[in-house]
């Protein structure tokens, strides 16, 4: 539990409570105090899985990608992005990465 909490910059108690909840709702398995992904969560979280959504989560969690959503009404009213140039359809994204899969892990 301590290693998970450290990686998340969170308290051990809070991390344990969250992991216990995720176990109760079926997203994690807990055996002898150790948490693991179940088959369903592993399919979406294991980077070796073709169904992994980690790169999508990193892309959507990027502050440059979130900015237009914070001003969504303005974007819809004007029909223009608030990002530099053409926004995310530029050859290089505002953050300088050509695709979410190229982002640092």
């Amino acid at each position: 539990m301590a290693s998970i909490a450290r990686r998340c910059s969170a308290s051990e108690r809070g991390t344990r409570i969250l992991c216990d909840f995720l176990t109760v709702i079926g997203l994690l398995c807990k055996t002898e105090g150790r948490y693991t992904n179940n088959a369903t969560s592993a399919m979406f979280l294991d980077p070796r899985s073709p169904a992994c959504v980690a790169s999508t989560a990193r892309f959507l969690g990027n502050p440059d990608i979130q900015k237009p959503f914070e001003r969504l009404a303005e974007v819809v009213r004007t029909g223009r992005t608030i990002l530099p140039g053409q926004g995310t359809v530029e050859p290089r994204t505002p953050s300088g990465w050509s695709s979410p899969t190229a982002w640092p892990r």
Side-chain angles (χ1 to χ4, degrees):
M1 184 54 54
S3 64
I4 295 171
R6 270 194 308 278
R7 288 190 69 178
C8 298
S9 300
S11 72
E12 284 187 50
R13 180 178 184 273
T15 303
R16 187 188 75 253
I17 291 168
L18 175 61
C19 288
D20 284 343
F21 173 72
L22 294 173
T23 301
V24 168
I25 64 170
L27 294 177
L28 290 179
C29 296
K30 183 178 180 181
T31 307
E32 298 178 10
R34 181 174 161 79
Y35 298 92
T36 58
N37 289 326
N38 64 22
T40 302
S41 60
M43 178 173 45
F44 296 109
L45 299 175
D46 184 339
R48 296 168 294 190
S49 167
C52 182
V53 296
S55 63
T56 301
R58 278 192 300 278
F59 177 77
L60 294 175
N62 182 294
D64 286 333
I65 300 304
Q66 292 177 359
K67 287 176 190 173
F69 291 101
E70 293 167 1
R71 295 170 49 189
L72 186 58
E74 176 185 343
V75 170
V76 172
R77 272 195 307 272
T78 64
R80 298 190 178 280
T81 183
I82 61 161
L83 298 174
Q86 296 178 40
T88 58
V89 296
E90 288 281 337
R92 306 256 319 148
T93 65
S95 299
W97 293 303
S98 57
S99 76
T101 56
W103 291 11
R105 298 189 187 269

